[in-house]
Amino acid sequence: MTGLVDPRRVLTNAGAKAGDVLLLGKALGTGIAVSAIKKGTADPALVRAATAQMKQLNRAAGEVYARHWKSVHALTDVTGFGLLGHLDSAMRASNTRARIDAAALAVLPGVRELAAAGVVPGGTKANLQFVSERATFPADMAEPDRLLLADAQTNGGMLAAVDARAAVKILAALADAGAPARAIGEVVRPRRGAPPGVDVMGEISSATGRMDAQEKRR
């Protein structure tokens, strides 16, 4: 593909700034869901949710971020390297750290239980191993939940670092465009001597409960 673009409006993963709010679209867990589908162990509700999400293009979200380009400091999508992998790349490119709240993440229904049962793709395990030297987790966060944060996604959501003053406006625009997202954390300066990377706070279990409730209401 070739074309022309205003160089002032190119959105890369390299411009995140301390104080930015991190926005993420779509739920985590498609890699685990696909593994379960292949094994024939996926619940029908998970099959429906994962399939619908993987069919949803990121075009609408991309157009919203493009319209708000002055407030979008870094942008990427979450695909094969998982949330942690793509976020780690963005933080290393920006020389910053991300602080994310696991309870704010949307999660596909049932994938935590599948991860606990060992239904995890090899790419997801490799992702977690790669980022672990630059990531921190709550001491009591179980390995399956850490794997879910690194799950290799198929057509995952867009991940953005945006000016905190514009975050609410951008979230509203994404919802209006049919591409809702969540604020999942913030960008911070690394402590002296610490490398760029990701710090995970909180517990993912409460987010799962909210996601399951939302699925039932739909």
Side-chain angles (χ1 to χ4, degrees):
M1 180 180 293
T2 59
L4 298 174
V5 62
D6 185 336
R8 298 170 299 175
R9 299 180 62 176
V10 174
L11 300 177
T12 75
N13 72 344
K17 301 177 181 179
D20 282 351
V21 174
L22 294 167
L23 307 183
L24 177 65
K26 300 185 180 177
L28 300 180
T30 55
I32 293 169
V34 170
S35 291
I37 291 170
K38 291 177 179 178
K39 293 177 180 293
T41 59
D43 184 87
L46 174 58
V47 175
R48 290 192 297 270
T51 302
Q53 178 170 295
M54 289 187 289
K55 289 167 61 178
Q56 182 182 2
L57 300 179
N58 283 323
R59 178 174 180 174
E63 290 174 346
V64 169
Y65 287 122
R67 288 199 302 272
H68 293 84
W69 62 275
K70 289 185 178 181
S71 299
V72 180
H73 298 151
L75 183 68
T76 186
D77 59 349
V78 177
T79 51
F81 296 134
L83 171 61
L84 291 184
H86 288 282
L87 188 52
D88 175 69
S89 293
M91 296 302 100
R92 286 187 287 121
S94 307
N95 196 31
T96 52
R97 286 191 73 85
R99 182 180 296 151
I100 63 172
D101 177 10
L105 297 168
V107 177
L108 289 171
V111 291
R112 287 184 73 238
E113 292 79 6
L114 288 166
V119 183
V120 178
T124 294
K125 297 175 182 177
N127 289 342
L128 181 59
Q129 182 178 9
F130 178 75
V131 302
S132 286
E133 63 185 52
R134 292 174 301 279
T136 66
F137 302 90
D140 57 352
M141 178 173 277
E143 183 78 359
D145 284 350
R146 300 185 187 200
L147 285 164
L148 179 53
L149 296 176
D151 190 36
Q153 303 296 279
T154 297
N155 191 26
M158 301 202 77
L159 173 66
V162 306
D163 189 312
R165 294 167 295 184
V168 171
K169 182 178 180 180
I170 293 173
L171 283 169
L174 288 165
D176 289 343
R182 296 183 179 199
I184 65 164
E186 63 179 338
V187 179
V188 299
R189 293 184 181 87
R191 296 187 301 275
R192 179 173 295 183
V198 182
D199 300 311
V200 179
M201 319 293 286
E203 295 294 332
I204 203 169
S205 56
S206 57
T208 304
R210 285 204 300 271
M211 185 65 188
D212 289 342
Q214 290 167 4
E215 290 296 327
K216 291 176 181 177
R217 285 198 295 271
R218 291 174 189 163

